[in-house]
Amino acid sequence: VLARSSSFRVACTAPPRRSVFAAMVIKTELCHFTEYRIYPGRGQRFIAKDGKVSFFITSKVDSLFHQRIKAVKLRWTQAWRRMNKKGKVDENTKRRTRKAAKFQKAIVGMSLDDIKKKKAMKPELRQQAKEASAKEAKARQTKVKAAPKAKSGAAAPKAKADKGQKTAGGKKAGGGGGKNESLKSKR
């Protein structure tokens, strides 16, 4: 004999009711000319000499096809709408542009790790480091300028005077001439 406890209950639930009317599938064809749907009992079928079957929704469409009028030229056809980018047909085909993913590259004179360290530094420290390197570069420049002045002495002012003077031809001395100068001499 089975004993039933109060916590054990049998649930008798019926399956959920579905609607009495199921969606009926109707076989439709597409009109060869207009691309409209043709439901059963409608339309005209035309079979050409080569055996190609065309199905037209109305006699008007049949007539237009046999007059060799292009569907693209008629505004009420799907072909015209497709050519002129109307309706939902072309919304799906819009391409999405991908954004380029940003990534860091090493540059000449600096490795990727050095670049990352510089980015991670606080702005104040970065500013101090920049100022220190600028002072160092300036000190180097002054040393380089001081050394040639001591060697050359009076030779430097003479060279400056030569550059400003004109030659016998009326042109300034020095300079390589430009593109136009070389063309004039060839003529």
Side-chain angles (χ1 to χ4, degrees):
V1 181
L2 291 171
R4 288 190 187 182
S5 65
S6 61
S7 64
F8 180 77
R9 287 189 180 166
V10 178
C12 294
T13 56
R17 284 190 157 197
R18 293 188 181 160
S19 64
V20 179
F21 302 105
M24 196 168 112
V25 179
I26 300 172
K27 190 176 185 244
T28 58
E29 307 233 6
L30 281 180
C31 175
H32 179 79
F33 192 81
T34 61
E35 298 174 38
Y36 290 160
R37 277 193 191 148
I38 304 173
Y39 288 91
R42 299 283 170 136
Q44 295 180 8
R45 183 168 279 133
F46 169 72
I47 302 168
K49 286 180 184 175
D50 63 351
K52 190 177 178 187
V53 178
S54 299
F55 207 44
F56 303 115
I57 195 163
T58 59
S59 58
K60 171 186 173 179
V61 172
D62 182 34
S63 172
L64 289 167
F65 175 80
H66 285 97
Q67 291 174 47
R68 297 173 194 261
I69 292 173
K70 292 178 183 165
V72 178
K73 305 259 181 180
L74 301 171
R75 289 189 69 165
W76 52 272
T77 61
Q78 290 300 315
W80 184 90
R81 292 180 68 78
R82 196 178 317 106
M83 280 290 285
N84 292 283
K85 296 183 173 93
K86 305 289 180 195
K88 296 176 185 175
V89 180
D90 286 357
E91 282 181 29
N92 301 344
T93 58
K94 284 184 184 175
R95 291 183 181 178
R96 291 179 184 168
T97 54
R98 272 184 11 202
K99 279 190 177 179
K102 291 183 181 179
F103 63 96
Q104 199 78 42
K105 265 189 181 174
I107 55 173
V108 178
M110 268 189 139
S111 69
L112 191 58
D113 295 330
D114 294 340
I115 294 170
K116 285 182 180 175
K117 282 177 189 173
K118 276 205 168 193
K119 271 194 173 180
M121 277 175 37
K122 288 185 178 175
E124 300 89 37
L125 293 173
R126 206 179 307 147
Q127 188 68 29
Q128 287 173 357
K130 194 187 278 186
E131 287 171 3
S133 64
K135 282 180 185 177
E136 189 181 314
K138 204 171 192 181
R140 265 190 269 130
Q141 286 288 331
T142 53
K143 283 181 186 177
V144 171
K145 282 185 180 177
K149 279 186 181 178
K151 287 181 185 175
S152 62
K158 191 176 181 185
K160 281 186 180 177
D162 285 347
K163 269 203 170 180
Q165 291 180 356
K166 291 186 178 179
T167 59
K171 294 180 182 176
K172 284 186 178 180
K179 190 175 183 182
N180 295 339
E181 296 279 333
S182 61
L183 288 174
K184 285 179 186 174
S185 64
K186 287 182 183 176
R187 291 183 191 162

